[in-house]
Amino acid sequence: MNYRISGAAECKTPPMGWNSWDCYGASVTEEEVRRNAEYMAKHLKQYGWEYIVVDIQWFEPTADSADYHKNAELVTDEYSRLMPAVNRFPSAEGGRGFKPLADYVHSLGLKFGIHILRGIPKQAVRQNAKILNSTATAASIADIGSVCEWNGDMCGVDMTRDGAQEYYDSIISMYAGWGVDFLKVDDIARPYHRAEIEAISSAIAKTGRNIILSLSPGDAPLSEVEHLSEYANMWRMTDDFWDGWEQLKKMFDYCRGWFPYTGEGSWPDCDMLPLGRIGIRSHGGDRMTRFTEDEQKLMMTLWCMFRSPLMFGGDMTYNDEFTLSLMRNGGLIEINQNSYAGREVYRRGNEIVWAANGGDGVYYLAQFNTGETELVSKTDLAFLGIEGERRAEELWTGERLKGSVIESNVAPHGVCVYRLSV
């Protein structure tokens, strides 16, 4: 079932891109962003990867890790709007903001995104700074009782106050002028801030620019699915996801709850893919992902069968051949971008089976093993409503077989995934 109504930007397929958080926390620099954009353009653009997203604290000159510096001086303009720190983003000097960086990303044939926190800077409230196109001030629109529990830079905006919508219009208009294509808004989906979600969505619509709206963190409430589908393009189902097996195993439960609500323009989000080299200046320390190769294949398969957005978390310039092969698996990307009716079919102990439909009589079948020993997964295609025999190609190994029953030896924490055709 697809609850898509109207109001948010066009987003026909799950976005695919890179986000700086998993590798650089709050401290990414312009040079690191450009380097990853160049890598994506050279190695991945032809596979559908296109978004380059600068995550949190781009406005803080002293950011150096995943930690937030209490009462740090932030860079703002006279209208209460956060601006890039020029010591980290030198092309922003002279009030140019992210436009030069976005122009460079666009010149590579890619799209550019940023992260923001819900609300207005407390620093602007203390200064009683102005609001563009309004007689209101930061102090007069601030909801000082609505503060993010894990980052103290911002407070909420009271949308009943004069000047509140004008504030959100002013920041989103500025982002559109910079060339922003993707906006990740944090501290807005848990707790769920309906009025500010609507305000941001409205501000995006006024720009006339197709800016994808992503809401964080999870768990976004399933009870708000209609509202989410009307006002956003993607939203987090979970809290921050990292490279631990128990978190990955739990994702099957989230996907089972949300799969009926995926569809054109409405993408429940499994969170970033903590793959490749992560933790460089972020959580857990500098490392290659702790997921085994089998776990990485399982994760990519689940994200694609569910049709989650695919946002890669590692510094791509350090990718090894295996990591690159995950990102360039055309069969899996086809499932993620073009399948429909992805669903959990059944669970039998540690065996979890998903199926999805493709075009021209094609189906997809994924047999997962969440256990600690190898299992034999045996799926009768008639149970999926598929009559007769089908040719089956395993999308990780290329193995081919034919039959009306697909039987696989699935490794612990592993998966076999098939494209089924006549």
Side-chain angles (χ1 to χ4, degrees), residues 3-64:
Y3 276 98
R4 187 75 180 156
I5 304 173
S6 63
E10 182 177 293
C11 186
K12 292 185 176 181
T13 60
M16 298 171 60
W18 172 82
N19 180 290
S20 62
W21 173 255
D22 282 0
C23 45
Y24 293 111
S27 70
V28 73
T29 66
E30 180 168 348
E31 188 276 330
E32 288 159 344
V33 174
R34 286 175 178 253
R35 190 175 69 203
N36 276 276
E38 291 160 3
Y39 181 96
M40 181 178 286
K42 181 177 180 180
H43 298 285
L44 294 164
K45 181 173 67 173
Q46 63 268 42
Y47 292 87
W49 299 87
E50 59 177 347
Y51 289 96
I52 296 290
V53 181
V54 177
D55 211 86
I56 197 168
Q57 302 300 112
W58 41 264
F59 41 79
E60 183 193 332
T62 60
D64 57 6

Side-chain angles (χ1 to χ4, degrees), residues 105-119:
V105 171
H106 293 152
S107 77
L108 299 172
L110 304 174
K111 296 179 180 179
F112 180 71
I114 60 173
H115 170 291
I116 66 169
L117 284 160
R118 172 187 68 92

Side-chain angles (χ1 to χ4, degrees), residues 52-200:
I52 296 290
V53 181
V54 177
D55 211 86
I56 197 168
Q57 302 300 112
W58 41 264
F59 41 79
E60 183 193 332
T62 60
D64 57 6
S65 67
D67 296 327
Y68 305 121
H69 299 156
K70 187 175 181 180
N71 298 323
E73 188 74 16
L74 310 179
V75 183
T76 60
D77 70 1
E78 63 179 311
Y79 295 112
S80 309
R81 301 180 298 186
L82 294 162
M83 302 292 289
V86 297
N87 65 316
R88 295 168 52 203
F89 299 93
S91 70
E93 193 164 6
R96 290 179 292 179
F98 274 127
K99 187 173 186 346
L101 181 54
D103 286 348
Y104 181 69
V105 171
H106 293 152
S107 77
L108 299 172
L110 304 174
K111 296 179 180 179
F112 180 71
I114 60 173
H115 170 291
I116 66 169
L117 284 160
R118 172 187 68 92
I120 192 165
K122 289 182 181 178
Q123 177 177 299
V125 175
R126 291 193 298 270
Q127 297 167 348
N128 201 26
K130 295 184 286 187
I131 304 298
L132 185 65
N133 296 325
S134 175
T135 59
T137 65
S140 70
I141 68 169
D143 182 355
I144 59 175
S146 179
V147 178
C148 176
E149 63 183 26
W150 42 266
N151 181 301
D153 291 336
M154 313 288 281
C155 61
V157 173
D158 184 342
M159 294 311 303
T160 67
R161 303 280 184 87
D162 290 342
Q165 184 64 54
E166 286 80 1
Y167 166 71
Y168 274 122
D169 290 349
S170 74
I171 64 170
I172 303 302
S173 176
M174 180 175 68
Y175 303 154
W178 289 346
V180 168
D181 306 295
F182 183 103
L183 186 63
K184 176 183 174 182
V185 184
D186 217 334
D187 186 41
I188 200 164
R190 190 204 73 219
Y192 196 72
H193 295 274
R194 291 176 63 98
E196 286 179 272
I197 291 170
E198 292 175 17
I200 293 167

Side-chain angles (χ1 to χ4, degrees), residues 277-350:
R277 187 181 177 191
I278 59 176
I280 299 170
R281 294 193 301 275
S282 194
H283 290 293
D286 191 353
R287 64 194 184 278
M288 295 298 286
T289 183
R290 296 186 181 110
F291 285 131
T292 67
E293 290 191 359
D294 280 333
E295 289 166 351
Q296 292 175 65
K297 291 178 181 179
L298 178 146
M299 177 173 58
M300 284 294 295
T301 303
L302 179 60
W303 266 236
C304 290
M305 293 293 291
F306 177 72
R307 301 194 74 192
S308 172
L310 301 178
M311 302 301 290
F312 188 85
D315 186 315
M316 294 182 290
T317 66
Y318 294 98
N319 281 356
D320 57 19
E321 285 302 314
F322 176 77
T323 304
L324 185 59
S325 75
L326 295 172
M327 302 179 75
R328 296 171 72 167
N329 187 311
L332 268 292
I333 292 171
E334 174 66 21
I335 296 172
N336 179 262
Q337 294 291 291
N338 295 312
S339 70
Y340 63 97
R343 63 222 182 256
E344 182 183 296
V345 178
Y346 62 81
R347 296 191 186 196
R348 294 171 183 162
N350 295 319

